Amino acid sequence: MRLSNNYILREIAGEKIVVKQGTHGVDMTKIISFNESASALWEEFSGKEFTSEDAAVFLQNRYGIETALANKDAEVWISKLVECGAIVL
């Protein structure tokens, strides 16, 4: 899978958000707010093919969390982005 090129990570007022590009004006339904780990995942895998396992390993290495939690967090991150159209399967 890949992160969609239609979305771009931005920092606004100290908050990391992903915004859909290519539309006139700001459509607030096309903005995704990220926490630290979500933005780290986005930055790590932007422009690359990756799997859920790749995301989980990244989380384990960066945050020192257990495998089960890393797998769960990676799956949640991916499913939310698929739902928004920000991941291309």
Side-chain angles (χ1 to χ4, degrees):
M1 72 188 88
R2 275 181 99 75
L3 296 169
S4 172
N5 292 333
N6 294 330
Y7 289 80
I8 189 163
L9 182 66
R10 295 277 190 224
E11 185 169 338
I12 299 176
E15 295 292 321
K16 298 264 181 139
I17 61 170
V18 174
V19 182
K20 186 170 185 181
Q21 301 184 100
T23 57
H24 295 290
V26 176
D27 180 354
M28 298 302 279
T29 65
K30 302 297 182 196
I31 295 176
I32 306 163
S33 179
F34 276 175
N35 63 16
E36 179 189 335
S37 58
S39 62
L41 283 162
W42 185 278
E43 289 168 348
E44 176 67 20
F45 295 110
S46 186
K48 302 176 189 174
E49 290 284 331
F50 67 95
T51 65
S52 175
E53 292 80 19
D54 296 330
V57 168
F58 174 81
L59 290 171
Q60 283 181 282
N61 291 337
R62 181 162 180 140
Y63 299 103
I65 60 176
E66 298 288 329
T67 302
L69 180 57
N71 288 335
K72 179 182 170 214
D73 289 352
E75 287 295 329
V76 168
W77 181 72
I78 290 166
S79 69
K80 293 295 183 185
L81 292 177
V82 166
E83 187 179 304
C84 297
I87 285 186
V88 179
L89 298 176

